[in-house]
Amino acid sequence: MKVLVAVKRVVDYNVKVRAKADGSDVDLNNVKMAINPFCEIAVEEAVRLKEAGVATEVVVVSVGEKPCQEQIRTALALGADRGVQVETEGSVEPLVVAKLLKGVVEKEQPQLVILGKQSIDGDNNQTGQMLGALTNMAQGTFASEVKIDGDAVSVTREVDGGLQTVKLKLPAIVTTDLRLNEPRYASLPNIMKAKKKPLDVFSPADLGVEVTSHLTQLKVEPPAERQAGIKVASVDELVDKLKNEAKVI
Amino acid sequence: MSTLVIAEHDNSTLNGATLNAVTAAQALGADIDILVAGAGCGAVGEQAAAVAGVNKVLVADNAAYGHQLAENVALLIAEVGAGYDNIVAAATTNGKNTMPRVAALLDVAQISDIIAVESADTFKRPIYAGNVIATVQSADAKKVITVRTTAFDAAAAEGGSASVEAVGAAHDAGISEFVGEELAQSDRPELTAASVVISGGRGMQNGENFKLLDGIADKLGAAIGASRAAVDAGFVPNDMQVGQTGKIVAPDLYIAVGISGAIQHLAGMKDSKVIVAINKDEDAPIFQVADYGLVADLFEALPELEGKL
Ligand SMILES: Cc1cc2nc3c(=O)[nH]c(=O)nc-3n(C[C@H](O)[C@H](O)[C@H](O)COP(=O)(O)OP(=O)(O)OC[C@H]3O[C@@H](n4cnc5c(N)ncnc54)[C@H](O)[C@@H]3O)c2cc1C
């Protein structure tokens, strides 16, 4: 069984991103970039499926500018076999990413596609579901457990009320939640080996997809700042403040 | 202009998140219909018809929609939604699961998690864990939108008198099936709707210690939440996670106990009216957003607080 994993290059999760002073965009100058944490979980899951003898090949794909090859190499160092970059310019909307991924799905014919549930930059939580619609595949989103079972996959999902389990016909799509696994660290020898693994580059045109834009970002701004609060010296003072000053209890 | 709001429900009760979505939909300035897709969901249709400001309720009652499987429900929404300018749902796990599928079927973008409607085609939404608010304009003729419920007041659940119509469309994609669910049972208010929330973090040390929050929650009528670290460590279940990638809450009072205040946690609670932090580390970042900070060992502070409420 071939598994396709999609990964995105994003700002490292420890960075507190700010809007540029002129409000034109976020300021990403000199910030640390990394593989989106949910995508890292997706890679780990695919590699575990391979180690368990369920998957035979793990292909990792990223849509983005040239530097996203770093994140593909990271995924290869974690154990993926082969990389695909779809080279695009600037930011690409989830619908277009999904169309490009559909093109890769048609080329690669994977039985399972694993993506992160959201990327921590745009916080959209859309791409996996859109890919599902475009390929007519079933989707197990926000997964905390994935079990391949013949020609189907059982996915336990983290939902508002608790957990839900669904059974999907393969080929299918899974999007990861935080509890699916704890990704490993790449070892130095594996990082070296990853440099030699194959990485193919396609253009959107190669995949027959036109890159369109449906949304325009008019401006960005900081959120409303909270007023600095005070430290209370005791539980008594806290209760008094909540009762008599904030009047919330 | 017309807007279709997708009802969030469990086949018997209309979930309050729908009422927030209706308010967001009203801001779009169009007539509002509600679609109830489910199985044996007639009662929900009646509740939806009572919501103030709703024109018409469409009920698609079919076994294929009983568990909100996105593969089936998205086909229905795309078909029914074809006649509308806007399709709106609350950004619950159901909304997040289904709506992007609808958008892709209709070949339009989705605008996720909006917090404000600037005009019929322009919206505000948080990005980068809420550290930045983006204003985005959609060029699509049809808009597919999910709504951050904490950013919009609930529409009145009573007072409306919408007509109710059955929708025959039966879509079973036949590629997914519901196997089972483990839903949290609690007498407490729902986390995202509670007016008081008390959350525990890694500082709680184990699941047993979360009982220290129970007595306080009882006295305040609070819901209990948690940080990711507390969920990952298995102290409490996933449905309690507050944050960028968990639930978004904005109660009148949020009490963070043994939580450091990582940006991902703040993203889920910093719009609360009053924030209290109890942490033994006086430099914990949570104090930067807290209205009232108590530097203390939680194992001493919590029993004392319970006693004094
Ligand atoms: C992709 C991604 C998504 C994430 N999404 C979320 C999310 O949705 N929600 C979320 O919460 N996090 C999220 N996180 C995790 C986040 O970055 C932090 O790791 C997490 O919030 C930390 O939880 P914590 O504050 O409980 O633990 P810690 O950071 O370990 O803090 C524990 C705190 O408890 C205090 N403490 C310890 N003992 C005591 C005591 N006896 N008395 C008083 N205080 C005590 C300590 O001083 C410390 O401040 C996400 C991370 C990533 C990478």
Side-chain angles (χ1 to χ4, degrees):
Chain A
M1 181 174 97
K2 189 194 278 189
V3 180
L4 180 69
V5 183
V7 302
K8 186 175 184 187
R9 175 184 173 88
V10 298
V11 170
D12 183 85
Y13 77 95
N14 286 306
V15 175
K16 185 167 177 191
V17 173
R18 290 175 202 283
K20 284 184 188 161
D22 67 0
S24 59
D25 205 348
V26 293
D27 189 355
L28 296 184
N29 265 328
N30 296 319
V31 300
K32 185 175 168 212
M33 302 298 283
I35 184 169
N36 180 44
F38 288 101
C39 303
E40 201 174 5
I41 295 172
V43 173
E44 176 68 32
E45 195 64 15
V47 171
R48 288 188 190 186
L49 286 171
K50 188 169 176 204
E51 287 168 347
V54 177
T56 48
E57 189 184 23
V58 176
V59 180
V60 56
V61 54
S62 188
V63 174
E65 294 177 354
K66 181 123 193 178
C68 80
Q69 290 191 3
E70 283 170 35
Q71 279 61 46
I72 296 176
R73 293 286 172 204
T74 303
L76 294 174
L78 292 171
D81 298 300
R82 188 154 71 70
V84 174
Q85 181 205 0
V86 182
E87 187 149 17
T88 54
E89 274 169 51
S91 89
V92 183
E93 293 170 14
L95 180 62
V96 177
V97 174
K99 288 179 182 178
L100 294 167
L101 292 178
K102 180 190 178 208
V104 176
V105 165
E106 282 167 358
K107 266 189 195 294
E108 297 285 345
Q109 299 287 322
Q111 285 295 96
L112 193 65
V113 186
I114 314 181
L115 308 87
K117 78 166 180 180
Q118 79 191 68
S119 59
I120 60 167
D121 47 6
D123 282 334
N124 281 305
N125 196 333
Q126 298 176 1
T127 305
Q129 297 89 313
M130 287 181 158
L131 180 62
L134 298 176
T135 56
N136 197 26
M137 282 195 250
Q139 64 189 44
T141 53
F142 328 144
S144 65
E145 201 181 344
V146 173
K147 273 193 270 184
I148 304 289
D149 179 9
D151 59 356
V153 56
S154 276
V155 180
T156 301
R157 309 177 50 232
E158 294 196 357
V159 295
D160 287 338
L163 295 171
Q164 182 197 59
T165 303
V166 290
K167 193 168 173 184
L168 316 173
K169 264 195 193 147
L170 294 176
I173 288 169
V174 166
T175 77
T176 62
D177 216 318
L178 296 168
R179 260 64 62 178
L180 184 56
N181 60 49
E182 220 175 294
R184 71 194 67 189
Y185 292 97
S187 66
L188 199 56
N190 285 344
I191 292 171
M192 299 314 290
K193 262 194 250 164
K195 293 188 174 151
K196 299 201 189 78
K197 291 186 180 176
L199 196 169
D200 293 321
V201 180
F202 296 106
S203 70
D206 293 337
L207 301 171
V209 176
E210 196 193 337
V211 177
T212 54
S213 165
H214 300 243
L215 300 173
T216 313
Q217 182 172 289
L218 300 180
K219 67 168 178 182
V220 297
E221 61 196 315
E225 283 296 321
R226 289 193 75 91
Q227 298 286 335
I230 58 160
K231 290 244 169 76
V232 292
S234 64
V235 169
D236 282 318
E237 190 186 347
L238 175 62
V239 172
D240 175 65
K241 293 282 185 198
L242 291 178
K243 273 195 181 138
N244 302 315
E245 191 176 270
K247 298 190 169 55
V248 283
I249 61 171
Chain B
M1 285 258 293
S2 57
T3 299
L4 183 67
V5 174
I6 311 304
E8 171 83 22
H9 66 92
D10 61 0
N11 291 320
S12 56
T13 311
L14 183 71
N15 185 298
T18 314
L19 302 174
N20 306 94
V22 165
T23 300
Q26 276 162 346
L28 294 165
D31 283 349
I32 296 172
D33 292 353
I34 294 184
L35 172 65
V36 178
C41 57
V44 181
E46 276 160 36
Q47 293 160 41
V51 175
V54 176
N55 192 40
K56 187 165 70 180
V57 174
L58 303 167
V59 179
D61 196 331
N62 189 295
Y65 310 137
H67 295 287
Q68 303 296 326
L69 291 172
E71 297 77 11
N72 302 344
V73 175
L75 292 171
L76 170 74
I77 298 173
E79 181 187 317
V80 175
Y84 290 85
D85 303 293
N86 311 298
I87 309 175
V88 175
T92 55
T93 45
N94 272 331
K96 290 174 182 170
N97 189 37
T98 306
M99 294 295 271
R101 219 170 154 109
V102 173
L105 289 172
L106 296 170
D107 197 27
V108 299
Q110 171 174 300
I111 307 122
S112 293
D113 226 9
I114 62 162
I115 57 168
V117 176
E118 300 291 293
S119 73
D121 66 1
T122 304
F123 311 92
K124 287 193 184 210
R125 57 178 306 267
I127 55 176
Y128 292 94
N131 285 314
V132 177
I133 307 297
T135 303
V136 293
Q137 184 172 36
S138 166
D140 288 318
K142 197 184 290 295
K143 285 152 198 81
V144 173
I145 295 168
T146 65
V147 173
R148 177 167 291 199
T149 54
T150 52
F152 297 89
D153 292 335
E158 305 286 337
S161 55
S163 60
V164 180
E165 267 176 37
V167 176
H171 290 283
D172 187 349
I175 50 178
S176 58
E177 66 186 86
F178 170 83
V179 176
E181 60 194 356
E182 270 173 63
L183 299 184
Q185 301 297 336
S186 167
D187 298 332
R188 300 196 187 286
E190 208 184 317
L191 195 50
T192 53
S195 56
V196 181
V197 173
I198 180 163
S199 291
R202 199 195 310 266
M204 298 301 292
Q205 290 180 3
N206 57 48
E208 187 65 20
N209 288 336
F210 264 73
K211 287 198 180 132
L212 292 169
L213 304 179
D214 279 341
I216 298 169
D218 285 343
K219 289 196 167 165
L220 297 175
I224 299 183
S227 70
R228 172 193 175 179
V231 177
D232 280 7
F235 301 172
V236 291
N238 62 279
D239 52 271
M240 288 169 64
Q241 181 182 316
V242 170
Q244 177 191 15
T245 64
K247 286 182 179 162
I248 308 293
V249 303
D252 294 337
L253 173 60
Y254 186 89
I255 308 176
V257 184
I259 292 179
S260 61
I263 47 181
Q264 292 84 7
H265 188 78
L266 301 184
M269 44 65 79
K270 70 179 156 61
D271 292 328
S272 304
K273 230 177 250 160
V274 175
I275 295 174
V276 170
I278 301 177
N279 197 305
K280 68 176 179 188
D281 171 9
E282 64 175 338
D283 296 322
I286 189 77
F287 288 123
Q288 292 162 20
V289 300
D291 299 281
Y292 303 109
L294 178 64
V295 180
D297 187 322
L298 67 92
F299 295 103
E300 286 161 25
L302 290 177
E304 188 182 345
L305 179 60
E306 184 184 341
K308 286 181 172 156
L309 284 171

